Amino acid sequence: MTVARTKPASHPLRGVLALDDFEAKARRHLPRPLFGYIAGASETNASLRMNRDAFQTYAFKPRVLIDVSARSSETSIFGTRYAGPFGIAPMGISALMAYRGDLVLASAAAQAGIPMIMSGSSLIRMEEVAKANPDAWFQAYLPGAPDRIDALVDRVAAAGFKTILLTVDTATLANRENNIRAGFSTPLRPSLRLLWEGLSHPRWSLGTFLPTLANHGMPHFENSYAERGAPIISSKVMRDFAKRDHLNWSHLQRIRSRWSGNLVVKGILHEDDAVKAVEAGANGIIVSNHGGRQLDGAMSPLQALPGIVEKTGQSATIMIDGGIRRGTDILKALALGAKFTFVGRPFLYAAAVAGQAGAERAIEILQTEIQQNMALLGITSLAELNEQHVLRHHG
């Protein structure tokens, strides 16, 4: 007789059945300023709420009595076949939340056969992440400075990345007062409050913060430019965010002329901007409002998706992020024309709580939900999904 094994009560993954469960655990595990940094958006959090609410405005129209025993969630984009239609979105300073956070996420993605996008605001050198996961993508924040653009693009190519993203919705830093209220600031300022937060969250201090300092020193922004950036506690850190308001379409064209790999533009909500991006040479677009962290009140990506697909879906790979928490959310986005989806906050919560095992569990949850719901929708491949599988409602 086989005895089922259950996780002990103290195991960090005990009771995790859905992605939202990681958020509750991360709230307890992380110091308040760090949890606030992940969870927070800008000003009134209007866009953050709309990202989730948008998925509830669509209902499914399933088909029945279809043999779905051979269904597959595998998806191909940019000539690469992935195990599922989702990947890990770029998230800055992940290594403060989980020990070697970017490497944890990159390794989990490689193990599961899905893409991971490394953030330009990361605290681990891009070369280390590319070594851990040669199929990872790199996301860049760039100023309108041609020499810095050229140097960073050349570094990304030398590191071995095949796909680069330019994030275009950060002309200036937004009013993230929620972060400030939670005690988070850039630069991160040592204080008695931060000391108390560390002491009162010993699992994070002993598992993430102290090993990082002991083994790698004070974290720096490692990938803002070709050269190493400032330490996260330095008063000079804001220089890495300067002159982004100079960025324009000519700089995207400059990247395209210098970069031979896949070029993706992230942060588009207007269909006319999507057209311009394709005309400038973009291979893909991620419809995104930066997780609600930039312009408060900006429409949700799901609201913007159909119009962008209509204008550019035949000439570029259209992807989406923002507000995705369930396999059903992913299937709704695909039905409305997206070719791929990305999920951010839940994966960082998962990595913070349980390292690579947490990220792998989060991936497993989404894969299982997608497989189950494909069967319940009556489809055997994701290519079958279209707008006839969803109905917009206002109830």
Side-chain angles (χ1 to χ4, degrees):
M1 180 177 68
T2 301
V3 178
R5 296 182 179 179
T6 60
K7 293 181 174 64
S10 60
H11 195 286
L13 295 180
R14 181 178 176 83
V16 173
L17 303 178
L19 292 191
D20 282 340
D21 294 330
F22 285 113
E23 181 172 354
K25 287 180 174 288
R27 184 187 294 273
R28 295 190 295 270
H29 172 77
L30 288 170
R32 184 168 177 258
L34 297 188
F35 179 82
Y37 172 81
I38 304 173
S42 61
E43 297 185 355
T44 69
N45 291 333
S47 291
L48 178 66
R49 291 191 300 272
M50 283 193 287
N51 286 359
R52 287 294 303 126
D53 293 345
F55 288 98
Q56 307 314 311
T57 65
Y58 287 92
F60 286 115
K61 295 175 65 177
R63 303 300 301 272
V64 297
L65 292 179
I66 297 171
D67 182 351
V68 292
S69 59
R71 64 192 180 279
S72 171
S73 62
E74 290 188 353
T75 307
S76 293
I77 53 171
F78 301 138
T80 300
R81 194 152 188 84
Y82 294 109
F86 65 92
I88 300 176
M91 291 169 287
I93 65 171
S94 297
L96 270 189
M97 316 304 173
Y99 180 64
R100 309 303 279 164
D102 301 278
L103 293 173
V104 162
L105 294 170
S107 298
Q111 182 72 23
I114 64 169
M116 174 268 189
I117 307 175
M118 181 185 188
S119 170
S121 294
S122 55
L123 306 175
I124 296 176
R125 296 177 71 249
M126 68 173 75
E127 291 80 4
E128 293 183 61
V129 174
K131 184 177 180 180
N133 183 347
D135 292 322
W137 303 6
F138 182 80
Q139 172 257 345
Y141 294 108
L142 287 168
D147 57 335
R148 292 209 149 182
I149 290 173
D150 293 350
L152 182 64
V153 169
D154 290 348
R155 180 184 171 192
V156 174
F161 291 93
K162 303 177 185 67
T163 301
I164 191 171
L165 284 80
L166 177 65
T167 292
V168 294
D169 57 3
T170 55
T172 188
L173 291 178
N175 179 20
R176 298 182 186 175
E177 61 194 50
N178 300 296
N179 289 354
I180 298 172
R181 295 183 199 281
F184 185 90
S185 63
T186 304
L188 198 62
R189 296 183 178 90
S191 66
L192 289 176
R193 179 180 180 180
L194 280 181
L195 175 62
W196 168 248
E197 287 289 345
L199 292 174
S200 60
H201 294 82
R203 280 190 59 231
W204 172 83
S205 295
L206 296 174
T208 300
F209 183 64
L210 292 178
T212 296
L213 286 183
N215 297 325
H216 308 283
M218 181 59 64
H220 285 59
F221 286 99
E222 298 283 0
N223 307 294
S224 297
Y225 303 115
E227 68 277 7
R228 191 183 200 193
I232 196 166
I233 62 171
S234 171
S235 60
K236 298 179 180 179
V237 75
M238 292 306 294
R239 71 186 180 189
D240 288 351
F241 305 100
K243 295 186 177 180
R244 291 181 185 171
D245 54 356
H246 290 57
L247 198 68
N248 59 59
W249 292 107
S250 70
H251 298 116
L252 178 61
Q253 294 166 345
R254 186 181 187 93
I255 295 170
R256 177 71 286 174
S257 66
R258 198 171 188 90
W259 175 258
S260 60
N262 304 312
L263 175 60
V264 176
V265 178
K266 177 180 178 292
I268 286 180
L269 293 173
H270 198 293
E271 57 271 21
D272 291 346
D273 285 341
V275 171
K276 285 186 175 182
V278 173
E279 290 173 348
N283 306 105
I285 291 167
I286 298 183
V287 185
S288 174
N289 66 11
H290 215 104
R293 297 167 72 86
Q294 284 299 106
L295 177 63
D296 191 40
M299 67 194 301
S300 76
L302 197 71
Q303 289 174 311
L305 179 63
I308 290 175
V309 169
E310 182 180 359
K311 286 286 189 76
T312 59
Q314 298 301 313
S315 50
T317 299
I318 308 302
M319 299 162 279
I320 186 173
D321 71 10
I324 294 170
R325 296 295 181 271
R326 288 281 185 177
T328 48
D329 297 336
I330 291 173
L331 294 175
K332 287 176 182 178
L334 298 180
L336 293 173
K339 297 300 182 186
F340 210 78
T341 65
F342 287 93
V343 182
R345 289 177 174 95
F347 282 117
L348 191 48
Y349 291 141
V353 167
Q356 185 171 335
E360 290 175 352
R361 174 61 179 146
I363 294 169
E364 178 188 30
I365 287 171
L366 276 184
Q367 285 283 48
T368 299
E369 290 180 349
I370 289 169
Q371 285 284 332
Q372 290 172 331
N373 291 309
M374 287 178 67
L376 296 172
L377 268 174
I379 59 173
T380 59
S381 76
L382 297 174
E384 297 172 38
L385 273 175
N386 57 51
E387 66 277 3
Q388 295 181 10
H389 288 95
V390 292
L391 172 71
R392 188 158 193 174
H393 68 94
H394 302 284

